[in-house]
């Protein structure tokens, strides 16, 4: 009998003339041989797993398992698949159903745990809300007490401010009265000072006129004395000039006399030098000559 497998199938042939298993897409099946078709298409098994996040929030995690042989050139994977998987296709379906049931049980357990955790979280949230409400109520009460204290302090401050304003008004009134009194006093002083100033100015003008007359008289006397002093100074200068001229003449005469004596001495020195040179530097001969010339011999 000739058997042909579909595109996604293989023929697994065993029996006479075959040592282990023969895989083929098409083949003759002889007497004493057995042929089984098996599908190599991958099979997907889908599950929905009830899971929970790190924050204890439940969620559904879809899971897909794909089962199928690994196809390669040496056909080892297909041989193993033909030996081990094919005879157990029905068992595989049973196992899949069992896994599905167990998965549902686990999901229910997880769902229960999630609800339990949700209840715990809600209870904790409620406790926290109650604590917060108590804290808010306490804070409101404390705030009300502080507001009452602030109101009282504000009223006291207003009363003190009113007293301070009244006291300040009284001080200002006293200051105004004092300033008015000072103004009146200053006015009287100004009137008296004006009268005294007029009298003072009159006396000052009279004194200035008297002083002016005396100054003019003194200036006349001083002018006469200055002219007299100038005449005396001129006479003194003339006498001094005459004396200076006489002294200068006398000094000039003495200077000329001294100059003559110096010229005579120079001439005598030159004369002696000439004589000394004439006698060949002999001082004894020069002395004898001078004594003879002077009539001493």
């Amino acid at each position: 009998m000739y058997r042909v497998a579909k595109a996604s199938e293989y023929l697994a042939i065993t029996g006479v003339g075959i040592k282990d298993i023969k895989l083929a897409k098409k083949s003759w099946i002889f007497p004493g041989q057995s042929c089984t078709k098996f599908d190599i298409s991958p099979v997907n098994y889908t599950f929905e797993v009830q899971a929970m996040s790190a924050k204890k929030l439940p969620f559904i995690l879809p899971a897909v398992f794909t089962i199928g042989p690994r196809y390669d050139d040496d056909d080892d994977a297909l041989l193993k698949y033909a030996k081990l998987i094919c005879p157990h296709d029905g068992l595989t379906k049973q196992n899949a159903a069992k896994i599905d049931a167990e998965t549902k049980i686990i999901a229910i357990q997880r769902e229960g745990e999630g609800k339990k955790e949700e209840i715990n979280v809600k209870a904790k949230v409620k406790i926290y809300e109650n604590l917060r409400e108590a804290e808010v109520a306490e804070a409101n009460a404390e705030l009300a007490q502080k507001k009452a204290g602030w109101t009282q302090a504000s009223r006291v401050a207003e009363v003190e401010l009113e007293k301070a304003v009244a006291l300040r008004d009284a001080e200002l009134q006293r200051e105004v009265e004092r300033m008015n009194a000072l103004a009146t006093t200053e006015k009287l002083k100004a009137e008296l000072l004006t009268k005294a100033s007029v009298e003072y100015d009159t006396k000052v003008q009279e004194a200035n006129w008297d002083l002016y007359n005396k100054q003019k008289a003194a200036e006349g006397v001083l002018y006469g004395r200055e002219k007299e002093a100038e005449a005396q100074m001129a006479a003194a200068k003339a006498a001094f000039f005459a004396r200076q001229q006489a002294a200068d003449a006398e000094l000039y005469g003495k200077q000329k006399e001294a100059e003559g004596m110096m010229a005579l001495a120079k001439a005598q020195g030159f004369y002696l030098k000439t004589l000394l040179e004439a006698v060949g530097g002999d001082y004894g001969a020069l002395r004898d000559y001078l004594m003879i010339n002077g009539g001493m011999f």
Side-chain angles (χ1 to χ4, degrees):
M1 183 174 58
Y2 190 74
R3 301 288 299 273
V4 178
K6 295 180 180 179
S8 61
E9 294 178 343
Y10 269 89
L11 299 177
I13 305 170
T14 59
V16 178
I18 298 173
K19 184 178 180 180
D20 188 7
I21 297 176
K22 177 184 177 182
L23 298 178
K25 297 293 285 183
K26 56 186 177 179
S27 178
W28 286 97
I29 306 302
F30 298 102
Q33 293 181 346
S34 175
C35 178
T36 303
K37 289 182 180 181
F38 66 93
D39 195 345
I40 63 172
S41 299
V43 179
N44 294 328
Y45 297 94
T46 303
F47 304 94
E48 291 184 354
V49 180
Q50 297 289 334
M52 185 173 294
S53 67
K55 295 183 179 180
K56 306 300 181 181
L57 297 176
F59 65 94
I60 297 175
L61 178 65
V64 178
F65 296 94
T66 301
I67 300 175
R70 185 177 69 250
Y71 180 80
D72 51 21
D73 295 336
D74 57 6
D75 294 337
D76 288 340
L78 291 177
L79 288 174
K80 291 180 181 179
Y81 185 77
K83 290 179 180 180
L84 302 175
I85 301 300
C86 289
H88 302 287
D89 285 341
L91 183 60
T92 300
K93 293 180 180 179
Q94 293 177 0
N95 291 335
K98 184 178 180 181
I99 291 172
D100 189 20
E102 291 178 353
T103 302
K104 290 181 179 180
I105 293 172
I106 293 173
I108 293 172
Q109 291 177 351
R110 291 292 180 86
E111 184 178 0
E113 292 177 357
K115 289 182 178 180
K116 182 179 179 181
E117 187 65 25
E118 182 180 359
I119 292 171
N120 290 333
V121 171
K122 288 182 178 180
K124 291 180 180 179
V125 170
K126 186 62 177 177
I127 293 172
Y128 178 76
E129 290 177 351
N130 293 335
L131 290 175
R132 290 298 299 165
E133 289 178 358
E135 291 176 357
V136 170
E138 184 179 357
N140 290 333
E142 184 178 357
L143 179 61
Q145 292 178 356
K146 289 183 178 180
K147 285 184 177 180
W150 294 337
T151 302
Q152 184 178 1
S154 176
R155 181 56 185 165
V156 171
E158 290 177 358
V159 173
E160 291 179 353
L161 179 61
E162 291 175 357
K163 291 181 179 179
V165 170
L167 182 61
R168 182 59 179 167
D169 290 339
E171 291 178 354
L172 291 175
Q173 184 63 31
R174 288 196 299 271
E175 184 67 18
V176 170
E177 293 176 356
R178 188 179 68 83
M179 294 299 294
N180 291 333
L182 288 175
T184 303
T185 303
E186 292 297 329
K187 183 178 180 181
L188 293 174
K189 287 182 179 180
E191 292 176 355
L192 295 175
L193 182 61
T194 301
K195 183 178 180 181
S197 297
V198 171
E199 293 178 356
Y200 173 76
D201 292 338
T202 303
K203 291 182 179 180
V204 168
Q205 289 178 1
E206 292 176 355
N208 289 336
W209 177 252
D210 187 26
L211 178 62
Y212 176 76
N213 292 329
K214 290 180 179 180
Q215 285 179 348
K216 288 299 181 181
E219 287 176 358
V221 175
L222 179 62
Y223 180 75
R225 291 181 179 178
E226 286 179 353
K227 291 300 181 181
E228 183 180 355
E230 288 177 358
Q232 292 177 358
M233 185 176 293
K237 286 182 178 180
F240 175 76
F241 181 74
R243 289 195 299 271
Q244 187 176 9
Q245 290 294 325
D248 289 342
E250 184 179 358
L251 177 62
Y252 181 75
K254 290 181 178 180
Q255 287 178 349
K256 290 299 181 180
E257 183 180 357
E259 290 176 358
M261 293 176 69
M262 289 180 65
L264 179 60
K266 288 181 179 180
Q268 288 178 354
F270 180 75
Y271 174 69
L272 292 174
K273 181 180 179 182
T274 303
L275 291 176
L276 183 61
E277 290 177 353
V279 295
D282 188 355
Y283 286 99
L286 177 62
R287 182 189 60 194
D288 293 340
Y289 173 77
L290 291 175
M291 291 178 68
I292 292 170
N293 190 35
M296 296 180 67
F297 290 104

